[in-house]
Amino acid sequence: MIKTINCILILIAATTILSCSSSDKQKVNENHKITYREIEKASWLIGKWENKSSEGNASEIWEKKNDSTLAGISNFIIGEDTVSSETISLEQNSNKLFYIPTVKGQNNEQPVRFVLTSSTNNQLVFENPEHDFPQKITYTQIKNDYLLAEISGMINGKQNSRQFPMTRKR
């Protein structure tokens, strides 16, 4: 009989301890909101951007996928031919922001990670010194509806860059 009472008391104590423990965890989770400050710095990218020139038509479309990720699509079209196409993921992981393009016909169609190395309210700079080209990708918001994207780095030992001015279409 005493063994049965002791077992019941142990079960009650264990249940009480476990319920308090999970209740405390829930309070910690409720009070500890995860913030995504790095991805919030890039929210001005959301929308459709275009540049029509004599060389061809460049476009990027960015949308918010979730609290920590923006998804983008970039295309360069000459006439009726898409000569360059890539999907891009802008992801915050812990306190780091990554620009992750997957370019059709390059890098065995595998994504390449560039880490945010500097930022202001209107500029994002991502770098990957191990990548062949580009090693640096910069987005600068010139005005609300105007941005300048730039890729740069070394090609065959020479510094090279290419700029893509774009206007917001929506």
Side-chain angles (χ1 to χ4, degrees):
M1 177 77 166
I2 293 179
K3 286 184 180 180
T4 305
I5 292 174
N6 282 342
C7 284
I8 292 172
L9 289 175
I10 290 171
L11 282 173
I12 291 171
T15 304
T16 304
I17 290 170
L18 288 174
S19 68
C20 289
S21 175
S22 66
S23 172
D24 289 345
K25 285 179 184 174
Q26 187 175 4
K27 286 179 185 174
V28 168
N29 287 338
E30 288 172 2
N31 293 332
H32 180 67
K33 284 195 167 189
I34 297 173
T35 58
Y36 297 98
R37 291 188 179 132
E38 296 303 312
I39 197 77
E40 289 171 8
K41 291 177 184 178
S43 64
W44 55 266
L45 281 173
I46 296 172
K48 182 175 182 177
W49 300 87
E50 289 182 348
N51 178 9
K52 294 183 179 185
S53 71
S54 59
E55 293 179 25
N57 299 330
S59 69
E60 286 193 12
I61 301 171
W62 289 92
E63 60 184 30
K64 183 176 180 176
K65 189 172 178 182
N66 58 46
D67 288 346
S68 64
T69 307
L70 297 183
I73 298 171
S74 177
N75 291 303
F76 189 75
I77 299 170
I78 298 176
E80 300 292 321
D81 296 326
T82 301
V83 294
S84 175
S85 178
E86 63 185 80
T87 58
I88 310 160
S89 185
L90 202 54
E91 300 176 8
Q92 182 172 337
N93 188 343
S94 296
N95 289 329
K96 291 187 177 185
L97 187 61
F98 296 94
Y99 181 95
I100 309 168
T102 303
V103 182
K104 217 173 192 177
Q106 293 182 14
N107 303 307
N108 294 322
E109 312 262 336
Q110 295 300 306
V112 178
R113 294 171 71 90
F114 292 78
V115 67
L116 182 73
T117 56
S118 69
S119 66
T120 64
N121 288 338
N122 64 342
Q123 187 175 66
L124 305 166
V125 179
F126 301 92
E127 297 186 64
N128 178 342
E130 303 302 316
H131 190 249
D132 56 359
F133 184 84
Q135 290 93 40
K136 186 176 182 179
I137 299 169
T138 305
Y139 282 88
T140 305
Q141 181 184 32
I142 307 299
K143 296 179 186 175
N144 280 344
D145 292 331
Y146 184 76
L147 71 76
L148 180 64
E150 180 177 14
I151 58 173
S152 60
M154 301 295 282
I155 298 177
N156 298 323
K158 293 183 181 181
Q159 185 64 30
N160 202 321
S161 70
R162 182 124 193 250
Q163 295 184 336
F164 305 92
M166 294 191 189
T167 304
R168 186 189 309 270
K169 295 300 175 189
R170 61 175 157 103

